[in-house]
Amino acid sequence: YLPNVDADTPVSVIYVSHGVGDTAANFKNFVAAQPDADPDFPYVMIVPQGLQLQPVAMGGGSAGIEWDIFESTTGDDNLEAALFESVLGCVADQYTVDASRVYTWGFSGGAILTAMLTSRYPEMIGASYVMSGAWFNDQAQKDGVNSMGINLLWDPLNSSDTGAVILSHGG
C-alpha cells in the first residue's frame, strides 16, 4: 500500500506479517489499509507473503512455518531480516522515510516475526503490535512453546532499548 505523496513528504512504514496458514492477500483484506486517510500520517504498508520455508513436524506430519523465525542473531543470514532490510531500503529509495515512525505488527507466526524484528532492530522500530505471538529470547516463553525441540536462538533483549510494544496473547 503506497500513499499518494511527493517524494519529499515524510512517510511512516508499517511492516505487517500474517499468521501461519494465512496469506498476504487474505491478511490485506483484514488490514484494510488507507495510507492517505490522515494527511498528517501518510504511510507505506508492506504485507509480505510467507513462503513456508521452515519445516516442522506437527501432529505426526510435516508442515512449513511461513517465516524464518526460529534463529535470528545480528549478522546471520536470516531471510526475514534480509527481506526487512531490503524492503526498507527500497522504500527509502522512493520516499522520505521518517526513521522515527517505522512500525511492525503481526498475528500468530507473523507476531513472532514482529517480535523477532523488534528484538533484532530496536534502534529502527519505533513501535510493534504483537498479536498472539512469542519472544524467543525470553526463556519462559521458549519453554512454553517449544514442544517440537526446535533450536530457538535470538539476540537477547536489552533493557536500554526503547520503543513501544503492544502485546496480546492467545492461540
Side-chain angles (χ1 to χ4, degrees), residues 91-116:
V91 171
D93 285 345
Q94 300 176 51
Y95 292 91
T96 301
V97 173
D98 181 342
S100 68
R101 297 190 319 180
V102 174
Y103 309 109
T104 59
W105 73 275
F107 175 73
S108 184
I112 297 171
L113 172 57
T114 293
M116 183 198 84

Side-chain angles (χ1 to χ4, degrees), residues 3 5 9 11-12 22 30 42 79 85 110 141 143 147 151 155-156 164:
V5 296
T9 301
V11 298
S12 299
D22 202 356
F30 171 72
L79 297 173
E85 290 175 16
Q141 291 186 46
D143 293 345
S147 62
N151 187 37
D155 289 323

Side-chain angles (χ1 to χ4, degrees), residues 29-122:
N29 291 331
F30 171 72
V31 172
Q34 297 179 355
D36 293 312
D38 182 345
D40 294 328
F41 190 79
Y43 60 87
V44 173
M45 182 173 282
I46 308 298
V47 187
Q49 172 63 50
L51 298 177
Q52 298 183 341
L53 297 175
Q54 297 295 305
V56 293
M58 297 193 300
S62 180
I65 298 294
E66 270 75 358
W67 310 109
D68 185 9
I69 55 176
F70 300 136
E71 296 183 26
S72 173
T73 56
T74 302
D76 70 6
D77 59 356
N78 181 278
L79 297 173
E80 306 311 334
L83 179 63
F84 180 72
E85 290 175 16
S86 295
V87 165
L88 285 182
C90 182
V91 171
D93 285 345
Q94 300 176 51
Y95 292 91
T96 301
V97 173
D98 181 342
S100 68
R101 297 190 319 180
V102 174
Y103 309 109
T104 59
W105 73 275
F107 175 73
S108 184
I112 297 171
L113 172 57
T114 293
M116 183 198 84
L117 292 172
T118 302
S119 296
R120 187 168 175 139
Y121 302 107

